[in-house]
Each structure stands twice: as C-alpha cells, then as structure tokens.
Amino acid sequence: MDMLWSGWGDPAKATPLPETVIGLLRDLLGVTPRAAAPVELTDLRVPEAPLTAAARRALYEAVGGAEHVRTDAESRIRRTRGKSTPDLLRIRAGDVGDVPAAVVLPASHDEVLAVLRACAAHDLALVPFGGGTSVVGGLAPDQPASRRRPVVALDLRRMNGLLALDPVSRTATLQPGLRAPDAEALLAAHGFTLGHFPQSYEWATLGGFAAARSSGQASAGYGRFDDMVLGLTLATPEGTLEAGRAPRSAAGPDLRQLVLGSEGVFGVITSVTVRLRPLPAARVYEGWRFASFDEGATALRRLAQDGPRPTVLRLSDETETLIGLAQPDAIGASGTLETAGCQAITGYEGTAEDVAHRRQRAAAVLRACGGTYLGEEPGERWAQGRYAAPYLRDALLDAGAFAETLETAAFWSRVPELYAAVRHALTTTLTEAGTPPLVMCHISHVYENGASLYFTVVSAQGEDPVAHWAPAKRAASEAILGAGGTISHHHGVGTDHRDGYVREAGPLGVEALRAVKRRLDPAGVLNPGVLLALD
C-alpha cells in the first residue's frame, strides 16, 4: 500500500478536527479556512518522462525488464519529495515541478549496482526511496538550473526480506526496503524484536533508518538505530562497500559510521545487520506529573545518568501538556498552564521481574524529584496514539493552520538555554510576521550526557505558508547553533538543514566528506544537493 500522496499515512486513518478545536484555533491563533481546496491527484499534469531511448533501455536491462521501471504520472507523483509541511503544502498546491522522470524498482544488490552504472552512463541523478517519510528535504535533490538532470527514484520495496538470522549472536541481516512493522513481524516469529519504534514506524524502512540515523521512541531502553547496526552493505557507482564484521573492532576508523547518516549521497544501503533483543514478556507505560519543565528535566537526567533507565522516557513541557497534542478530541482539556504542569511518560519492557524492579526503583527517583504518579492510563493512552501526530498535522493543514516540527539535542547543561532560545526565536519571528504561534516541546530521547528537544509549532498559515515559515525556520536554526545544539538529532540533514550542518561540521570536515563523495560517486549521481551542496 502506498502512503497518501498529499499527506501522511493511510487515508482511512485520517480524522478531521472537531469544531471545538477549529474554534480554538480561530480564537487563539487567528486561523481561517483555506481559500481553496487542495488539488486532486487526477488534476495534476506532469511532463513526459525526459529519458532518452538509450537511458530507458539501460534501466530496463538493469532491473530485468520494463515492468520494474515506471514512468506513469501517478507513480512519479507519489515519489515526489517527502512529508515535511512545506513538501505537503507545495504538492497540495499542485507544484510537481521536480517530479522524478522514472521510478525504478530493483530486487537485489546487483540490480542496484546496475542501476547506478546506468545512471552514471546516461547522466541521470538518483534518489533512494524507502518509505518516503523524510521531513527535511531528504528526497528533494537540489540541482542548479545549469546542471539539472532527470531524476530516477530508486524505490527499494522489492528488497524487503530477512536474509539471515543468528539466534546465538542475536543478529539479523535485513534488506533496506523492509518496512518496520514487517521487520518486527519477521523477527517476532523467531522470538526477537529490534525495538525501534519512531513516529514514522508504520511507514519507514530499515534502509531509511540507517541512512538518517533514526531514533525510536523506546531509545532509552533499546538505543538509537545507529547503535543497533553491526554491519551493512553499500552499493556505489564505483562498486560495493562492506562494513562491519564483528561487534566492535580496532581495525581503523569504523566505516559503518561513515555510511550511517549519509542520506544516500555516498551509495545505496542494500542490507543491514542489526542486533536483536528477545521479545518482551511484559510492557507497562505510565504517566507522571511535574510542576515545571525544569523539574521534570532534572528527574529525567537523574534516571538517564544514575538509573534505573526506563525503556521509554519522555517529558512534555507545560504548553504541550496543556494542549494534549496527541488527542484532537481533548485538546485544551487539561486546565491552564498553571494547573496542567508537565507530563512525563515512562515505559518498561522486558521480563516481568525486570519490569517490576525498574518501575519500583524509578518511581522512587521520580518522587524524590517532585513527580506525582498519574497511573497507567496516561501511559497507555500515549502508547495507543504514539503514531498519530502526523495525521493531526494533516488535519491542522486541512483546517487552515500551519503545523511543523523541528528537533535538536544538546548536553544537559545546555538544554535549558537551548529550550529557551528556540522557543524565543520561533515565537518572535512568527509574531512579528503577524501569525503568533503556539510552540510546544518535549524531551523525546535521553542520554547520560544530554537529551533531545522536539518542538511542534502551530500558527495561522499566512498568504504564502511556505515562504512564511522560512524565516522562522532560519531563526530557529540560528538559535540551535548559537545555544550549542546539533542541527538535527534524528530527522537528518536533507536540504533543509544543509547550511546548518556545514557550520556544525566545519570547513575541513565538509571537505573530507566531499572527498569521500568524489571517490564513491564521481559523476555526482546520488541525491545531489542533499547533505552537501554540489561542488
């Protein structure tokens, strides 16, 4: 099943906002209904695929026939850009100016290599396409007008198998086009789980997780995806790169880390070997309340540094707690900023004995830090709605609101400054533009030495929503870098964060990466302008 072409996920799961919420948006933020309905898929007109006869033949030969190369309008539209709010606003307005020329579906590593060679030989650009869930422009190559080549979307859905499983070492080798729920089902049949559950879980793929250094909602217990990867195979225009033959090694720099987070600019990940955990026998999620965000952050830091660490550990600030972000039918039902406080979610997965032990010890820490136990109901409600936020974003867009997210991370000592700086930048910029926003935030991932902050912004759209958001995004990025944060914690760089990444990595670091790019992809075939600007 394909994702909704003009929004997130399964159209059957989309729920419009209640009239009470629409009224709240109007009264609080000045949101007004859209001037025009989004275009329909059948109304979009795309040009004929700009492929030469020789290029078509080369692509057909690479993947075993014309049936695995699609040039029809719908297939190409569905692989146009990703799912950020600007991406969706543009396509809803009928902008398909950067639609790919073709969608190619390989079935093996060797076919990926053949497609890459064909693209290099016929001057085509290529974008690896997994679940299509990028929210940072990772599927929107940035080519200058003087060097604009037809783009091939390399859809990896046919590469969706479990290649090997080692129950003794607790590892599995999986193909990159495997969606996360399917991967979990395959592993569960053998008594294992990967434990990676990001908000994009229902649609994202294993290759995408690796390419973007994804972090799941249970990262406190299972770790980030880059912690899970023990080995990988990369197909490049210059050949095959294999990285990782043991859990850890001192044999030079770790090439796995070069590929993880590379966002398809060095090559196409064709397999990943990951570590596994036994399926948990028990799962418990619960809620806690803290009087302030600072108080709650202190409690999370205590658990992250000194233990016991829950499997899931999250904290919403006062505004997000008040709004009740994941429940459209209960938005604004939590009282006032003074009475709502901040809600934390703790979750425990493992054996029944381990879960009971960690819950008891963690509860003592949380109470000592000022926390009030709210029972299991808030935690279970969060677990049931943990993948619903993107659907809410679409419903807000449908109602005429602008809604977008951004995330960062910093060391614990910098988290308060980072939180204040980003909130101030977003609030000030959008208010000065005449659309005062609602800015919400939560700590979504914790580490011994720091934490991530995940911001959600809602405002009126303005006359040109994409142009309206751009200054606020720039201001937030400046605030992040100025306060010592990273430009991206788990969404990746794409094109949206590229300038910030260049500043974060520094000139020498960027040149080193350019050197890798030139060696592995000398013709610049792969995802041009993503992560690194073109030379």
Side-chain angles (χ1 to χ4, degrees):
M1 178 182 178
D2 284 321
M3 196 184 294
L4 178 65
W5 70 277
S6 59
W8 183 267
D10 181 355
K13 294 184 179 180
T15 304
L17 294 177
E19 286 300 321
T20 53
V21 177
I22 293 175
L24 185 65
L25 291 169
R26 180 187 63 243
D27 297 341
L28 183 64
L29 301 177
V31 171
T32 57
R34 299 186 319 270
V39 298
E40 297 292 335
L41 178 61
T42 52
D43 294 333
L44 295 173
R45 295 291 178 264
V46 300
E48 288 296 317
L51 296 174
T52 66
R56 285 179 185 265
R57 285 195 302 273
L59 293 175
Y60 295 164
E61 292 171 2
V63 291
E67 65 269 28
H68 302 308
V69 178
R70 301 178 184 175
T71 56
D72 62 284
E74 181 173 341
S75 294
R76 293 160 63 197
I77 290 168
R78 289 186 178 278
R79 280 94 174 161
T80 300
R81 299 186 289 271
K83 297 299 181 181
S84 71
T85 294
D87 286 341
L88 297 186
L89 289 169
R90 288 176 61 193
I91 204 161
R92 285 173 173 220
D95 178 0
V96 289
D98 52 353
V99 63
V103 179
V104 179
L105 296 93
S108 68
H109 173 82
D110 287 343
E111 289 190 358
V112 173
L113 286 174
V115 173
L116 291 172
R117 287 193 294 267
C119 288
H122 294 278
D123 202 24
L124 305 175
L126 180 142
V127 177
F129 192 97
T133 61
S134 172
V135 292
V136 293
L139 302 175
D142 181 18
Q143 302 187 90
S146 61
R147 186 70 177 92
R148 188 156 293 166
R149 295 162 290 176
V151 174
V152 169
L154 189 78
D155 191 319
L156 297 164
R157 67 179 56 198
R158 294 176 67 210
M159 298 176 65
N160 63 352
L162 169 62
L163 299 179
L165 189 139
D166 179 350
V168 176
S169 303
R170 290 185 178 175
T171 67
T173 301
L174 304 156
Q175 289 185 300
L178 192 61
R179 284 185 178 169
D182 297 328
E184 283 295 322
L186 288 170
L187 297 174
H190 298 274
F192 293 108
T193 180
L194 188 57
H196 191 67
F197 306 105
Q199 198 168 78
S200 61
Y201 168 78
E202 295 174 311
W203 296 92
T205 61
L206 277 290
F209 290 155
R213 286 191 184 271
S214 174
S215 191
Q217 295 170 339
S219 64
Y222 290 107
R224 292 164 51 99
F225 195 78
D226 46 356
D227 297 327
M228 302 175 185
V229 175
L230 302 174
L232 51 82
T233 304
L234 187 74
T236 83
E238 293 293 286
T240 300
L241 177 68
E242 299 274 3
R245 59 187 301 156
R248 292 291 186 271
S249 171
D254 190 345
L255 292 177
R256 291 172 295 191
Q257 298 305 318
L258 182 65
V259 177
L260 293 168
S262 60
E263 301 187 31
V265 305
F266 297 153
V268 179
I269 296 169
T270 58
S271 72
V272 289
T273 298
V274 291
R275 63 112 172 99
L276 307 176
R277 298 282 173 81
L279 278 172
R283 289 186 177 95
V284 179
Y285 306 103
E286 53 195 21
W288 291 78
R289 179 190 177 277
F290 291 90
S292 70
F293 195 55
D294 285 344
E295 187 178 84
T298 297
L300 266 62
R301 178 173 60 83
R302 284 274 306 275
L303 289 176
Q305 291 180 334
D306 302 324
R309 187 176 295 188
T311 309
V312 173
L313 188 56
R314 305 165 61 85
L315 174 72
S316 294
D317 71 359
E318 291 88 346
T319 307
E320 188 170 287
T321 299
L322 172 68
I323 295 300
L325 190 61
Q327 297 175 270
D329 59 347
I331 287 178
S334 298
T336 66
L337 281 175
E338 290 74 23
T339 61
C342 294
Q343 181 173 280
I345 299 295
T346 57
Y348 305 87
E349 299 183 8
T351 66
E353 181 182 14
D354 171 63
V355 165
H357 181 63
R358 281 190 291 146
R359 283 183 72 191
Q360 182 179 25
R361 292 176 57 217
V365 174
L366 294 170
R367 287 194 177 94
C369 291
T372 300
Y373 182 59
L374 301 177
E376 294 182 20
E377 192 272 336
E380 293 299 328
R381 191 170 66 238
W382 168 82
Q384 292 168 11
R386 64 198 297 184
Y387 309 125
Y391 291 100
L392 175 59
R393 185 270 307 268
D394 288 0
L396 288 165
L397 294 181
D398 291 340
F402 182 92
E404 184 59 303
T405 64
L406 58 92
E407 41 75 39
T408 180
F411 294 113
W412 282 114
S413 61
R414 305 300 294 269
V415 165
E417 177 190 353
L418 179 63
Y419 172 73
V422 176
R423 280 183 55 86
H424 176 76
L426 292 168
T427 301
T428 301
T429 307
L430 288 169
T431 299
E432 290 176 349
T435 56
L438 192 65
V439 180
M440 296 162 277
C441 182
H442 62 261
I443 292 176
S444 55
H445 306 276
V446 299
Y447 308 94
E448 182 178 353
N449 307 110
S452 72
L453 295 175
Y454 191 104
F455 292 88
T456 301
V457 187
V458 181
S459 73
Q461 289 189 1
E463 292 187 13
D464 183 341
V466 176
H468 188 72
W469 169 242
K473 176 71 171 181
R474 285 195 298 270
S477 296
E478 286 292 330
I480 286 170
L481 294 171
T486 178
I487 200 64
S488 176
H489 172 262
H490 59 269
H491 283 167
V493 173
T495 54
D496 292 2
H497 295 153
R498 188 178 62 200
D499 293 345
Y501 176 63
V502 167
R503 289 173 57 186
E504 186 172 324
L508 186 59
V510 169
E511 284 308 307
L513 293 176
R514 286 189 186 281
V516 174
K517 171 75 168 174
R518 285 191 292 268
R519 178 63 187 90
L520 297 180
D521 181 22
V525 166
L526 286 152
N527 233 1
V530 169
L531 188 68
L532 302 168
L534 296 176
D535 287 326

